[in-house]
Amino acid sequence: MKIKKYVLVISLVSTGLASAQVSGDSLALSDVLGQVMKNYPLLKKSEKELDAADAKIGLTKTAYLPDVAFSASYTRIGPTTAISMPIGGALHTLELFPPNVYSAAFSVNQSIYDFGKTDKNLAVDQRNKEMLELNASQTKQRLSMAVMGSFYTISMLQEAIRIKDEQLKALNEHLQFIEKRAATGSATKYDVLSTNVRVSATENQRIDLAGALQVQASVLNSYLGRPANSPLKVRKELNSTMLVSSTDSLCNEAFANRSELKITRQKEEISKSKIDVVAAQNRPSLNAFASGGFKNGYFNSRFEDTGRLNYAVGVGLKMPVFDASRSKQAKIMAKADLEANQQDTELAKRNITNEVIENRENALSALKKVKQSELQLQQASQAYELAKISFEAGSITNLDLLNANTQLSESEFALFKAKIDYTVSLLKLKLATGGQIY
């Protein structure tokens, strides 16, 4: 099928890295992700698991090396066996074993050939290590998505509080104006009361936003490994230009890069390696052994107990004959595991396809909301300016002016939220196709 690529060019106002509005101590998303990837306990655990996997590979490779041991012993025997015999006209007593027996020796055992059994086990260990690396990559992807969500939630709450502060400033100025007019009889007590109620309601909303911001800040501080109540401020980072490809193109990219799919395929390779290991279990093994040292218990021609050097060298062959069908059952288990992993691969493809489509559509929908919110903000700004003029002229009520002010604040926040949603959707789409944001 011919893939059609639809390119979507987005133009948004970026208020991120180059903004003079951002204080120097605010955190960029890249800074946050960098700190999290260095210090998060789950990732450190993954590093230790990789160290253990390297040790396991090293342990398996020791089958290629000789096994060398040193042994020494001393034994006191009593009573000893002795015989008497005439020699040269005199009766002599000879002990068949010395009362003090001692020995010291080095022994060496070396596998000569095991018909591929060690190679098969080593292949499984290496693929298990690769699996751990893929799991670590997947952990980073999931962690980066969680951190990104917390980061942009904080950014949105910070902006919402800023808008509420501006709204409160405008409302308090208007309250002072209304109170002056009420003092001269140009406004009623109801106008003053209505304005006070609107100020109070806006302050309550700001309190709720501040509480939510504190909660999200504690979450992000937790990812960063800092105390929960540490002061924290993030930058406003919004995408300025982005290209969105067709669904088919994005899905093909995801199938090539997603760690979930790589993991399921790696599981298939591990299952195949385990089948090879089972098939090699009943193969013979050929070993060589040698030992040499010093011990007593030998008698020379004069029947004197002396210590001597000694050695033993040989080869051994071990061939399994009957294993009570253990290898057969193990092979059945390994094949069933392989088939199950193949089904996991197919399921992963379907889930990835759904995720790519969802995030692509969310990005397109967010873009439309951005354009609509820009128009709504433009209309709300003009409506508020007209409302102030009309209120001063006495053609509208105080409540109408307050409603226009509220509508302006809500439109401003709606535009920023739409831009945040669009940015987050694009980042999620990047993650869904196997890209990295950390």
Side-chain angles (χ1 to χ4, degrees), residues 32 68 70 123 199 214 253 267 306 343 427 436:
V32 174
V68 181
F70 172 78
V199 170
Q214 183 60 40
E253 183 180 355
K267 287 181 178 179
T306 60
Q343 296 303 316
L427 291 175
Q436 295 182 355

Side-chain angles (χ1 to χ4, degrees), residues 419-434:
K419 291 180 179 180
I420 287 286
D421 291 342
Y422 175 68
T423 301
V424 170
S425 296
L426 288 179
L427 291 175
K428 285 184 177 180
L429 182 59
K430 184 177 181 179
L431 291 172
T433 55

Side-chain angles (χ1 to χ4, degrees), residues 366-398:
L367 173 63
K368 293 178 182 178
K369 290 180 181 180
V370 168
K371 294 181 177 180
Q372 293 172 356
S373 297
E374 287 174 343
L375 291 175
Q376 292 172 2
L377 178 59
Q378 183 180 1
Q379 188 271 340
S381 298
Q382 295 179 3
Y384 181 60
E385 293 300 324
L386 292 174
K388 288 193 293 185
I389 296 173
S390 299
F391 177 75
E392 292 175 358
S395 59
I396 64 172
T397 65
N398 178 62

Side-chain angles (χ1 to χ4, degrees), residues 15-161:
T15 58
L17 298 175
S19 174
Q21 305 169 358
V22 179
S23 62
D25 60 348
S26 59
L27 295 174
L29 179 59
S30 59
D31 297 331
V32 174
L33 290 173
Q35 293 182 38
V36 171
M37 296 305 160
K38 288 180 180 179
N39 303 319
Y40 201 65
L42 193 58
L43 297 180
K44 290 186 176 180
K45 176 185 176 183
S46 298
E47 293 176 0
K48 298 305 177 182
E49 289 175 345
L50 287 172
D51 292 341
D54 286 331
K56 181 65 169 63
I57 292 174
L59 181 61
T60 303
K61 287 182 178 179
T62 59
Y64 296 123
L65 303 175
D67 183 12
V68 181
F70 172 78
S71 60
S73 66
Y74 166 78
T75 305
R76 173 70 181 181
I77 300 176
T80 58
T81 303
I83 60 174
S84 297
M85 63 180 62
I87 300 177
L91 185 64
H92 291 269
T93 301
L94 300 175
E95 293 181 337
L96 298 181
F97 300 100
N100 297 303
V101 178
Y102 53 88
S103 67
F106 283 96
S107 62
V108 180
N109 287 282
Q110 172 67 59
S111 174
I112 299 176
Y113 190 59
D114 62 0
F115 297 87
K117 287 189 287 187
T118 301
D119 292 340
K120 303 300 182 184
N121 288 323
L122 185 60
V124 172
D125 293 339
Q126 290 173 336
R127 288 192 169 95
N128 282 329
K129 180 188 175 182
E130 293 171 2
M131 171 69 75
L132 291 175
E133 291 173 343
L134 290 173
N135 285 332
S137 176
Q138 184 183 40
T139 300
K140 290 180 178 180
Q141 290 288 79
R142 292 177 176 176
L143 187 59
S144 61
M145 179 173 290
V147 171
M148 175 194 67
S150 179
F151 179 92
Y152 279 106
T153 299
I154 291 174
S155 179
M156 185 172 61
L157 290 171
Q158 287 178 172
E159 183 67 11
I161 291 174

Side-chain angles (χ1 to χ4, degrees), residues 95-342:
E95 293 181 337
L96 298 181
F97 300 100
N100 297 303
V101 178
Y102 53 88
S103 67
F106 283 96
S107 62
V108 180
N109 287 282
Q110 172 67 59
S111 174
I112 299 176
Y113 190 59
D114 62 0
F115 297 87
K117 287 189 287 187
T118 301
D119 292 340
K120 303 300 182 184
N121 288 323
L122 185 60
V124 172
D125 293 339
Q126 290 173 336
R127 288 192 169 95
N128 282 329
K129 180 188 175 182
E130 293 171 2
M131 171 69 75
L132 291 175
E133 291 173 343
L134 290 173
N135 285 332
S137 176
Q138 184 183 40
T139 300
K140 290 180 178 180
Q141 290 288 79
R142 292 177 176 176
L143 187 59
S144 61
M145 179 173 290
V147 171
M148 175 194 67
S150 179
F151 179 92
Y152 279 106
T153 299
I154 291 174
S155 179
M156 185 172 61
L157 290 171
Q158 287 178 172
E159 183 67 11
I161 291 174
R162 185 193 66 79
I163 292 172
K164 289 299 177 184
D165 288 339
E166 291 182 354
Q167 185 181 4
L168 282 171
K169 180 181 178 182
L171 287 173
N172 285 319
E173 290 175 353
H174 181 67
L175 177 61
Q176 293 176 2
F177 177 73
I178 288 295
E179 288 175 342
K180 290 179 181 178
R181 293 189 62 175
T184 61
S186 301
T188 65
K189 291 183 178 180
Y190 180 76
D191 292 333
V192 176
L193 178 61
S194 298
T195 306
N196 273 315
V197 169
R198 190 60 60 91
V199 170
S200 177
T202 304
E203 288 176 344
N204 287 337
Q205 292 172 0
R206 191 193 185 286
I207 291 172
D208 291 339
L209 291 171
L213 178 60
Q214 183 60 40
V215 171
Q216 288 299 321
S218 67
V219 173
L220 192 56
N221 279 325
S222 175
Y223 284 122
L224 292 170
R226 306 195 305 185
N229 58 352
S230 298
L232 185 147
K233 184 178 181 181
V234 303
R235 298 181 184 180
K236 294 189 293 183
E237 295 185 0
L238 304 176
N239 287 95
S240 56
T241 303
M242 202 68 178
L243 302 178
V244 178
S245 303
S246 66
T247 301
D248 290 338
S249 177
L250 292 172
C251 287
N252 290 334
E253 183 180 355
F255 292 158
N257 299 324
R258 281 290 291 268
S259 57
E260 290 87 344
L261 202 53
K262 291 180 180 180
I263 287 174
T264 58
R265 289 169 178 163
Q266 186 67 15
K267 287 181 178 179
E268 291 183 27
E269 295 302 318
I270 291 175
S271 297
K272 292 177 182 178
S273 297
K274 288 182 178 179
I275 292 175
D276 294 338
V277 169
V278 172
Q281 290 303 308
N282 286 333
R283 295 178 183 177
S285 59
L286 183 63
N287 299 308
F289 64 90
S291 65
F294 183 86
K295 69 177 181 178
N296 69 334
Y298 296 97
F299 292 88
N300 58 15
S301 59
R302 294 183 297 169
F303 300 99
E304 295 177 352
D305 178 21
T306 60
R308 292 186 178 183
L309 295 175
N310 64 93
Y311 68 91
V313 179
V315 294
L317 177 67
K318 181 180 179 181
M319 179 178 295
V321 177
F322 179 68
D323 66 354
S325 300
R326 284 188 291 271
S327 60
K328 178 181 177 181
Q329 299 303 323
K331 186 178 293 186
I332 292 174
M333 291 174 58
K335 287 183 176 179
D337 188 50
L338 172 61
E339 294 172 357
N341 290 329
Q342 289 172 343

